[in-house]
Amino acid sequence: MANGKILCVDLGTSSIRAALRVEGRLDARVLELGESFRSSIDAASIPSAIFISPDLSEIYFGEQALSKGLRGESSHLFDASPKAWMNTGALEQLDAVVLPGTGVTRKHLLAGLLA
């Protein structure tokens, strides 16, 4: 915290929000993240969606992932609410490889979503 700023991230079930806490003040500045889904979410949120192309060559996060999934594009994996992967009863599934031959797990996909 050398510059007095803390990034706060809320991984929600259907969207992600972020805020910046500056100089220890309690009034955080909400960061505008979203673009195309402002009518259904707002400018301070992005969808918590993950989409993997059928041939495993591309991974999409956020707005692009939700858009492809809602259009019904063919996918290897599409999840509009990957936060559900962190439910207590499903934690062992976080280490499951989702991209055969790569070692990419659900944990990696969640990290990519937050990145």
Side-chain angles (χ1 to χ4, degrees), residues 24-109:
R25 293 191 319 242
L26 294 177
D27 56 325
R29 288 187 233 159
V30 176
L31 304 177
E32 291 205 8
L33 302 170
E35 291 295 328
S36 59
F37 288 93
R38 288 185 182 197
S39 61
S40 62
I41 301 177
D42 62 28
S45 299
I46 60 171
S48 297
I50 298 172
F51 181 98
I52 301 175
S53 64
D55 64 359
L56 310 179
S57 66
E58 296 178 293
I59 302 173
Y60 298 91
F61 299 100
E63 293 176 352
Q64 286 183 315
L66 185 60
S67 179
K68 288 179 171 296
L70 293 178
R71 284 196 308 260
E73 291 188 26
S74 180
S75 68
H76 171 71
L77 178 134
F78 169 64
D79 200 323
S81 299
K83 181 181 177 183
W85 298 347
M86 295 186 291
N87 288 342
T88 306
L91 289 177
E92 67 280 353
Q93 293 180 13
L94 289 175
D95 292 319
V97 173
V98 292
L99 293 177
T102 67
V104 173
T105 66
R106 290 178 184 238
K107 280 184 187 175
H108 293 119
L109 293 176

Side-chain angles (χ1 to χ4, degrees), residues 6-10 17-21 28 31:
I6 299 172
L7 177 63
C8 308
V9 178
D10 172 21
R17 295 176 66 90
L20 194 60
R21 185 171 172 180
L31 304 177

